[in-house]
Amino acid sequence: MPVHVPADYFVGMSPVPSPWTQTAAAVLESLGSRAGGLSAGERAARLEQYGPNRLPTPRWRHGMVTALSQFTNPLVLVLIAAAVISGFLGEETEAAVIVAIVVINGLLGFVQEYRAERALRALREFITREATVRRDGQLVTIPLEQVVPGDVVHIEIGDVVPADLRLLSLDDLSTDEAALTGESLPVAKQIEPVRAEAGQPHQLLNMAFMGTAVASGYAEGVAVATGAHTWFGRAAGTLAHKPHETDFQKNLRRFSDFLLKITVALTAFVFLANALLDKGLFDSFLFALALAVGITPEALPIIVTIALSNGALRMARDKVVAKRLISVEDLGNIDVLCCDKTGTLTEGEVSLHDYVDLEGARSPAVLLGGLLTSAPSADRTGNPIDRATLRRAADVAGELDRHEVLDRNAFDYRRRRVSALVKAPDGSRRLYVKGACEAVLDAGQGDGARIAAARQRAATLERAGYRVIAVADKPMTADTSRAEDEAGLTLRGFLLFLDPPKPAVRESLQELQALGVRVSVISGDSAEITRRICEAVNLPIQGQRVVTGPELEPLDDAALAALVTQHNVYARATPETKARLVTALGTAGHIVGFLGDGVNDAPALRVADVGISVDSGTDIAKDAADIVLLQKSLAVIAHGIREGRRTFGNITKYIFNTISANFGNMFTVAVSSLVLPFIPLLPPQILLNNLLSDLPLVTISTDRVDEEFLHRPRRWDIGMIGRFMVWFGLLSAVFDLALIAGLLGGLKIGVPEFRTAWFVESACSEILVTFAIRTRLPFYRSRPARLLAWSSLAAAALVVALPFTPAGTSYFAFVPPSWASLGLVAAVLVSYFGAAELAKRQFFRHVRL
């Protein structure tokens, strides 16, 4: 949505009101700055005056807000209301017990959610953001937060603008302002004053705004506003957007809807049945409400948050930073990983091996052309090709200093070329062009045989393992140039670069294959060099063919979706092609991760299920990503995938345990309440049972996950979860009913002792069965985490001891059970555990999660 800013926007926020109306020199003078930038001392003083260059961020919730949010669940609110009514009816003890349990449960949720929020805040500190500025005339890289008004900032393609800039100089600069204005096309910029006192950002063509991305060219501008004083900072609230719903979130919502239907149906049935049986309208209501709480896994949000935050912290230790907690689980789900070869399969440290003419002889003239067309900031922030070229500048140092660059045409991914208009020592002008071989040869002149021979020479060099960049030139007479001048070129030779495969990449590819993740390479390089690298690292090429971008462009979406199932290596891919391939893989039913760190990767990062970038990548790539790697490595991604699957595994353990045990226990209570002359468990006892049996499961995120569970991606299956609930819930109910028969028919105990014994069995059975259903293996072959084991033992001991305490007898109406009752409970528990082990094997033999 377009953002309108009033004329007096900068008043009180910047030393320069309406800087777009003034000349560049006047703005510099008003700011007390100069083209060479500020000194270190001036910067420090201004940082003290204006504060850090930090955008307004979503405020972290105050602890009190987090605490109060624990009591906004509708069931909890109804429980509190019921407690108040009980108090008015004279049931003070029952009311106090209900309130106490609700408060304890809320405090547990508060502690865990507060810890998770702190963990997410800490994770964001891992991701670095930098800006390039002039300090005493020299270009230096500084943390983005240290940019101050008056700083002269250098921006180029791939950068996210770090502050509101009044442009001082530029070359073919255009910026993507969609985040600020909604404009879908890049906006071309100028340096001349704009005669507008007020307007919208897209009208102020001599300004570059914080948060927008450089789409082409490069420029330098003086910062006129930083942080909250920028247009983006003021508009941050209106520009916020809700992240798309992930696969995990969709399934969690479906699971919640599924539970709601069961809870409503069971609660309504129990209430109506008990009321009709004349067991008291309010008592029946309170009993039904307690059952609703009992069957609802109200700790699920806490468990999910704990598991995701713990998983995110463990991933961070492995150099994988999740920008959102939900991304932890999403990463574990992927079954296709798309990536470039450079820096992923290869070392990423490109070196210029040689520079040769068309005959294969070393040619200083070719190196000179490569150096003159390198970006001015390439020695610090430029692309790897330019950095590697500049490292050989000493080879032609004397000649290089005698040439003056008059104008530049920046690289873009449509032309795949870069050019520079140069003034030679004799005063003549020449346009030097550097770029991909096909792109330069397509702009060349000469007979077909000569161009064909040059293509063949380049292909031979690529088969030898070189990344080949062509250098060409042509005479010019003007003092300026445009991209359209890159025609009629004379090819001079080739720059030959080497980027060897990473030594450990074969093992990483094998690990990803073992995890059920197919690797798809989408490269901008030629088909020959892409094939050679894939073969060198033993990456199988499906279909025995490298598919090129020009082959993909004419295909419609349906044809592309069919093609991606048959091939996995692509070359000469444009940014649009990368995004289409990722979308096609998703259409084919895959969960797709995309690893990219350049501006050309941003479209694919946005459409991938999981966008993965690198901390050393471009700002625009990091902004588009869900996951940021502190080290670009397939091994690091494999560790992150394992952690995501481990997190998902532990979340499903809680769901399987609580939904089956709760359903079984509450089903038994509901059914027995229809045939027994008394309510089998009092509402406070049901609530306490629910609380104590959930306590050990709070530690489930620390549990070990069986290795076989990690070998392929897992997705939620609500139907399977429902079958598990019925299968194991009814199994639990069978043993509950056996206990009822034994207690009332065999031991003929009284109501208080019956409720006590059943409480002990119900809580302990849910704690105990965790160790059967937490693994598909026999329980003795899968060792649980110590914290889970000890917390379960402590909770079970508390359950058994509670009836013998004054608190248990006074507040929960327990009585000390006889040894005969406890013996029967123990026998039922052992039998139930053994039956659960057998049922588990049968169930998972026919069901695949």
Side-chain angles (χ1 to χ4, degrees), residues 61 66-67 69-71 102-116 298-299 301-303 305-306 698:
R61 291 195 298 177
T66 303
S69 69
Q70 309 303 315
F71 304 100
V102 168
V103 169
I104 291 171
N105 197 57
L107 287 175
L108 286 173
F110 163 71
V111 170
Q112 298 301 334
E113 190 170 335
Y114 185 72
R115 286 180 57 198
E298 73 285 345
I302 302 172
I303 299 296
T305 301
I306 295 170
V698 173

Side-chain angles (χ1 to χ4, degrees), residues 487-665:
L489 305 174
T490 300
L491 182 67
R492 297 302 179 188
F494 304 107
L495 302 172
L496 308 181
F497 297 89
L498 285 176
D499 186 12
K502 289 182 177 178
V505 74
R506 294 185 183 183
E507 291 76 10
S508 299
L509 289 170
Q510 290 172 358
E511 184 175 5
L512 287 169
Q513 184 178 10
L515 292 171
V517 177
R518 188 185 83 177
V519 175
S520 183
V521 174
I522 307 177
S523 176
D525 265 342
S526 69
E528 286 293 343
I529 195 165
T530 302
R531 172 186 291 278
R532 183 184 179 281
I533 291 295
C534 290
E535 291 173 347
V537 299
N538 290 343
L539 176 67
I541 301 175
Q542 293 180 345
Q544 303 302 312
R545 186 166 72 90
V546 177
V547 184
T548 62
E551 295 178 69
L552 299 173
E553 288 175 3
L555 299 181
D556 60 23
D557 292 343
L560 189 61
L563 183 141
V564 295
T565 63
Q566 303 168 15
H567 299 278
N568 71 321
V569 181
Y570 308 90
R572 291 303 185 207
T574 64
E576 293 76 16
T577 301
K578 292 181 180 183
R580 286 193 69 206
L581 286 168
V582 171
T583 301
L585 285 164
T587 302
H590 296 285
I591 302 296
V592 186
F594 182 87
L595 171 62
D597 57 3
V599 63
N600 59 322
D601 297 317
L605 286 167
R606 291 192 181 99
V607 299
D609 294 290
V610 185
I612 309 167
S613 190
V614 188
D615 193 38
S616 58
T618 61
D619 291 342
I620 192 171
K622 287 191 285 188
D623 282 352
D626 304 298
I627 300 281
V628 177
L629 308 181
L630 303 184
Q631 174 185 338
K632 191 174 185 181
S633 164
L634 290 180
V636 168
I637 295 178
H639 293 158
I641 291 172
R642 292 176 67 89
E643 198 56 59
R645 293 181 184 176
R646 186 174 290 111
T647 299
F648 178 73
N650 283 331
I651 291 173
T652 55
K653 287 178 189 178
Y654 170 79
I655 291 173
F656 284 161
N657 178 285
T658 193
I659 195 173
S660 59
N662 286 2
F663 177 77
N665 289 340

